[in-house]
Amino acid sequence: MPELYIGLMSGTSLDGIDAALVDFKDNKVELIEFEYLPFSDEIQSTIQRLSKPDALISLKEYGAMDARLGHLFAESVNTLLAKADIPASAVNAIGSHGLTIYHAPEIKFPFSLQIGDPNIIAEKTGITTVADFRRRDIAAHGQGAPLVPAFHQAAFHHPNEHRCIVNIGGIANITVLPKHQHTDVIGFDTGPGNTLMDLWIKLHRNQSYDKNGAWAKTGKIDHDLVALLEQDAYFNTAPPKSTGKEYFSLPWIYQYVDAFSYNAEDIQASLCFITAITICDAIKKYAPATERVLICGGGIHNGYLLELIQRNIGCPVESTERYGLHPDHVEAMAFAWLARQTSNNLPGNLKEVTGALNSVILGGVYQRNKKGAASAPCLR
């Protein structure tokens, strides 16, 4: 019998919702079906405004978007199941990451806030839903991120090869997978992935992203500017560490750059390079034995970014697709795996990655019942 779980992911690029139906039969990982639901321009702009650092927003607007995203997550699940021709009753649970509005693990009272009401997801799908994965790790004095390295370990570890998995979403993170099982896995956010490039091209060309890095490639990398950006304290902080788009933002660029002193395309080229070089520097410093780099996330579609990474790292750089998982599907599949961990009363974090004091069972569980209505959450 299959062992089916659904993972829902909406990342810092704010492009839409990824939904993955995954079978974990016999402890293997098999994608059964995938669905992508793009956000409208209006939803994107509202979320961007709600998640700006120090934004002044009304609780009414915040609550309405939380509910609205809950409906959209549920819609993506129901579309996914219809596409796969599989009934909701066959699915053990949904793991919903939600959408991160603010991630602040370093302040006096640390927190990470995701929206996309899981009550609505459970109610509209009739499937037990696990959500709010990050805050239990933070309660255990961890960063609450990254959480995908545990899944990377399960899916990509190889006993004969040191590997590094690089996930390039809005923020970039790495997972270091030593070939020896007894060696600790480490992972952390290296800094910006696509977010700065997306913000810059939106500002200057009103495009949501730089397709294949084409605009960046027309510019000239300013290595003096890159050296200045690399002095930022985040890049020089030892892991465990995590960050978000509330830190790497347009104000972050402007604190280092007099925009009128550069051509816009040269800044874009330099932002692409800062993503590439901070990934490569992190691998060289914390995983010098790496024999192969596997890339997943939206950054896989930026050919110029991949060219810069390959140029600055001393080993093969490949897509995770060559090893069985499409790079656009990995994060959603990871949250299906995390839902499975929680459902089996198993921890989902790697304390060596997040810095938590101990391994913990992640998330709140919103149970299905016979009538298809969700119960109150059982917080773990």
Side-chain angles (χ1 to χ4, degrees), residues 189-221:
D189 291 345
T190 59
N194 304 311
T195 186
L196 296 179
M197 292 182 282
D198 291 350
L199 289 168
W200 196 250
I201 198 169
K202 180 69 173 178
L203 180 66
H204 288 275
R205 294 200 155 191
N206 198 30
Q207 297 173 16
S208 57
Y209 67 101
D210 188 2
K211 187 174 181 180
N212 209 32
W215 188 43
K217 202 164 186 177
T218 67
K220 180 180 179 181
I221 297 169

Side-chain angles (χ1 to χ4, degrees), residues 2 22 27 38 43 68 82 93 99 104 112 170 177 180 196 204 207 222 232 236 284 290 302 307 326 328 349 368:
V22 187
N27 283 320
I43 288 178
R68 185 175 182 182
L99 189 146
S112 187
L177 297 178
H180 306 298
L196 296 179
H204 288 275
Q207 297 173 16
D222 188 311
D232 186 86
N236 299 296
K284 290 174 183 177
T290 297
N302 187 327
E307 178 185 322
H326 192 285
D328 290 336
N349 66 332
R368 71 171 121 210

Side-chain angles (χ1 to χ4, degrees), residues 156 158 161-168 283 290-297 299-301 306-307 309-311 313 315-327 330:
F156 297 116
H158 194 284
E161 185 173 71
H162 295 293
R163 291 178 172 179
C164 190
I165 314 303
V166 180
N167 176 60
I168 309 175
I283 294 171
T290 297
E291 298 170 81
R292 192 176 307 277
V293 172
L294 306 184
I295 308 284
C296 58
I300 192 73
H301 303 294
L306 296 188
E307 178 185 322
I309 293 172
Q310 181 66 83
R311 194 185 301 170
I313 202 76
C315 64
V317 176
E318 299 175 330
S319 168
T320 57
E321 188 166 21
R322 185 168 180 179
Y323 298 87
L325 298 185
H326 192 285
V330 172

Side-chain angles (χ1 to χ4, degrees), residues 108-351:
K108 182 178 180 180
F109 296 102
F111 73 95
S112 187
L113 181 62
Q114 287 75 41
I115 60 174
D117 188 353
N119 294 282
I120 294 172
I121 300 172
E123 179 69 25
K124 296 298 180 182
T125 64
I127 302 171
T128 295
T129 299
V130 187
D132 193 18
F133 286 94
R134 299 192 184 277
R135 292 198 294 176
R136 184 59 186 269
D137 182 83
I138 290 175
H141 300 280
Q143 292 277 316
L147 295 180
V148 291
F151 175 69
H152 289 162
Q153 182 184 37
F156 297 116
H157 173 265
H158 194 284
N160 298 319
E161 185 173 71
H162 295 293
R163 291 178 172 179
C164 190
I165 314 303
V166 180
N167 176 60
I168 309 175
I171 299 298
N173 58 69
I174 65 171
T175 301
V176 180
L177 297 178
K179 61 184 178 183
H180 306 298
Q181 284 278 24
H182 63 273
T183 306
D184 287 342
V185 172
I186 65 169
F188 55 91
D189 291 345
T190 59
N194 304 311
T195 186
L196 296 179
M197 292 182 282
D198 291 350
L199 289 168
W200 196 250
I201 198 169
K202 180 69 173 178
L203 180 66
H204 288 275
R205 294 200 155 191
N206 198 30
Q207 297 173 16
S208 57
Y209 67 101
D210 188 2
K211 187 174 181 180
N212 209 32
W215 188 43
K217 202 164 186 177
T218 67
K220 180 180 179 181
I221 297 169
D222 188 311
H223 289 280
D224 290 336
L225 172 58
V226 170
L228 181 63
L229 297 176
E230 282 190 290
Q231 292 177 19
D232 186 86
Y234 184 82
F235 300 128
N236 299 296
T237 300
K241 60 180 180 178
S242 62
T243 188
K245 63 185 184 298
E246 59 282 326
Y247 185 81
F248 287 105
S249 59
L250 284 176
W252 183 85
I253 298 174
Y254 291 138
Q255 72 177 328
Y256 291 104
V257 175
D258 177 3
F260 295 103
S261 300
Y262 298 88
N263 293 324
E265 63 270 24
D266 293 344
I267 292 181
Q268 184 75 352
S270 300
L271 293 175
C272 189
F273 188 72
I274 195 71
T275 290
I277 201 65
T278 50
I279 289 170
C280 293
D281 286 349
I283 294 171
K284 290 174 183 177
K285 184 172 184 178
Y286 294 101
T290 297
E291 298 170 81
R292 192 176 307 277
V293 172
L294 306 184
I295 308 284
C296 58
I300 192 73
H301 303 294
N302 187 327
Y304 185 48
L305 176 61
L306 296 188
E307 178 185 322
L308 292 173
I309 293 172
Q310 181 66 83
R311 194 185 301 170
N312 288 279
I313 202 76
C315 64
V317 176
E318 299 175 330
S319 168
T320 57
E321 188 166 21
R322 185 168 180 179
Y323 298 87
L325 298 185
H326 192 285
D328 290 336
H329 303 163
V330 172
E331 277 203 292
M333 294 176 73
F335 280 87
W337 184 86
L338 286 167
R340 180 178 184 250
Q341 291 293 104
T342 300
S343 298
N344 289 311
N345 294 314
L346 296 171
N349 66 332
L350 291 175
K351 58 187 178 65

